[in-house]
Amino acid sequence: MKQPLLEVDGLSKWFPFGRGFLSRRRGAVQAVSDVSFTVPAGTTFGIVGESGCGKSTLGRAILRLIEPSAGRILLNGKDVTKASRREWLSLRRNMQMIFQDSYASMNPRMRVGSIIQEPLNIHRIGSDGERKERVEFLLKTVGLQPDSLGKYPHEFSGGQRQRIDIARALALNPNLIVCDEPVSALDVSIQSQVINLLNDLQERFSLTYIFISHDLSVIRYISNRVAVMYLGKIVELAGKNDLFSNPLHPYSRALLSAVPHPDPDKVRKRTILEGDVPSPVNPPSGCYFRTRCPQVMPVCREISPELAETAPGHQTACHLIGSRKNC
């Protein structure tokens, strides 16, 4: 097992709402609740789940684009959450993000060369000539021509803009990159090109990825370990092959049953979940998944299951798995 580059311990994020009379807070949305995991250097950690499960919030909280409400984040053993401003500026170089909407993440009035060079300017790295040389190198690295430097974001296709976003993320030579649905807005053929580019860059620059997606096929292709999230919590965490061949949590099995199979003659049993995802403002008691689980038990209504190891390297938060293990 490789030494963890990133350690997330009990990370939570709540968004208060309803400030009214005397500015009293009426409640809070539990976007991320007590999430813990580690990511070894040079690997890809996949996070998957339905829309609204807290995937993107988790990614942004790890980078402190939004401040966590509780928990710790360790990068190479250094506590990011307690870092001073000066320490944080140094740590920030090693943590970057690739956004889902590349166009919205860029200033439409800035030329591409200035967009990629901006991190170098902020951190005062290199001379003007060295910065320009670095930008040209990054453009070539992601498969774009040097004449792109003087163009504006609207002059590029969606796939080209995502490459620009990747080049900007690489500008400071980071160790960790959070990829927040980086291919979900692209055509399938372009998706494969961008994913292969990310794989090549990871091998070339020894990068570590947190890859967030709702597409299980993409997660299976690019990830080493996968976390399945439901309503702000991790319900299953395992190696890629283990999770896809032997999902233990009922929610994971339902997600995987919906993945299309390339063989049209192969009959697969589809698990249809009834009802909607509960509101994070007022989550159900006990297990959050119990309102939709086809195998719910009385204990699920009373006690929230802990994420525990149910097989070597395989963690599951489910009373059903625990009862089978004790039989």
Side-chain angles (χ1 to χ4, degrees):
M1 190 72 171
K2 295 183 179 180
Q3 178 68 28
L5 172 75
L6 177 73
E7 299 175 66
V8 176
D9 181 21
L11 189 66
S12 297
K13 178 60 184 177
W14 310 298
F15 293 99
F17 70 91
R19 293 186 180 274
F21 183 64
L22 298 180
S23 297
R24 291 176 178 173
R25 192 178 74 179
R26 293 171 54 191
V29 177
Q30 301 178 30
V32 177
S33 180
D34 195 23
V35 168
S36 300
F37 59 86
T38 61
V39 184
T43 64
T44 300
F45 185 83
I47 303 175
V48 68
E50 293 173 289
S51 297
C53 72
K55 305 186 301 293
S56 295
T57 301
L58 174 59
R60 290 168 185 265
I62 289 170
L63 297 184
R64 285 184 59 186
L65 296 179
I66 54 175
E67 288 297 327
S69 302
R72 295 193 311 155
I73 303 163
L74 303 178
L75 183 69
N76 280 324
K78 297 180 180 179
D79 193 339
V80 172
T81 52
K82 294 182 179 179
S84 65
R85 179 175 175 81
R86 179 174 294 181
E87 290 171 335
W88 174 235
L89 285 175
S90 177
L91 289 169
R92 193 68 181 86
R93 297 183 186 182
N94 293 322
M95 307 169 71
Q96 296 295 316
M97 189 166 194
I98 300 170
F99 296 90
Q100 177 180 1
D101 189 341
S102 56
Y103 187 71
S105 72
M106 299 177 190
N107 187 337
R109 297 183 178 182
M110 291 178 66
R111 300 179 189 273
V112 164
S114 299
I115 289 172
I116 299 175
Q117 186 176 313
E118 189 174 23
L120 301 172
N121 296 339
I122 292 172
H123 289 271
R124 300 177 182 178
I125 297 175
S127 63
D128 289 342
E130 289 171 335
R131 292 172 188 174
K132 184 178 179 181
E133 184 178 340
R134 174 69 175 166
V135 171
E136 291 175 350
F137 167 76
L138 290 170
L139 278 175
K140 182 179 179 181
T141 299
V142 299
L144 294 176
Q145 298 300 318
D147 60 5
S148 302
L149 285 169
K151 296 182 180 180
Y152 291 94
H154 73 270
E155 299 180 72
F156 295 88
S157 66
Q160 290 173 325
R161 281 197 295 267
Q162 200 58 280
R163 290 173 184 267
I164 295 168
D165 204 4
I166 293 170
R168 179 177 57 182
L170 292 173
L172 298 174
N173 283 319
N175 300 127
L176 175 70
I177 298 181
V178 175
C179 308
D180 185 13
E181 302 262 14
V183 297
S184 64
L186 306 177
D187 293 336
V188 175
S189 59
I190 306 301
Q191 284 185 13
S192 63
Q193 294 176 19
V194 172
I195 291 171
N196 288 333
L197 172 63
L198 290 171
N199 279 333
D200 292 342
L201 293 173
Q202 182 176 44
E203 184 176 350
R204 182 175 178 181
F205 299 113
S206 301
L207 297 171
T208 304
Y209 293 142
I210 294 178
F211 197 95
I212 299 167
S213 180
H214 63 273
D215 190 329
L216 284 159
S217 300
V218 172
I219 287 289
R220 184 172 191 174
Y221 179 75
I222 199 170
S223 302
N224 299 106
R225 285 181 64 79
V226 181
V228 181
M229 287 191 70
Y230 184 82
L231 208 63
K233 291 188 175 186
I234 292 179
V235 297
E236 189 161 4
L237 175 58
K240 170 184 65 177
N241 295 332
D242 195 12
L243 179 70
F244 280 83
S245 63
N246 184 34
L248 299 178
H249 198 280
Y251 179 62
S252 303
R253 292 201 295 267
L255 288 181
L256 291 171
S257 73
V259 178
H261 196 276
D263 185 357
D265 297 324
K266 184 173 182 178
V267 179
R268 299 182 65 186
K269 185 179 179 181
R270 175 76 187 276
T271 302
I272 306 296
L273 296 178
E274 297 182 358
D276 297 323
V277 178
S279 170
V281 176
N282 186 27
S285 61
C287 177
Y288 284 2
F289 186 61
R290 68 172 177 80
T291 57
R292 304 174 71 196
C293 182
Q295 298 171 289
V296 64
M297 302 183 297
V299 67
C300 302
R301 297 179 173 86
E302 305 295 332
I303 302 174
S304 176
E306 298 291 334
L307 188 67
E309 191 169 55
T310 50
H314 197 143
Q315 295 175 288
T316 315
C318 182
H319 292 302
L320 180 67
I321 308 303
S323 63
R324 287 177 180 172
K325 190 176 180 180
N326 294 328
C327 291

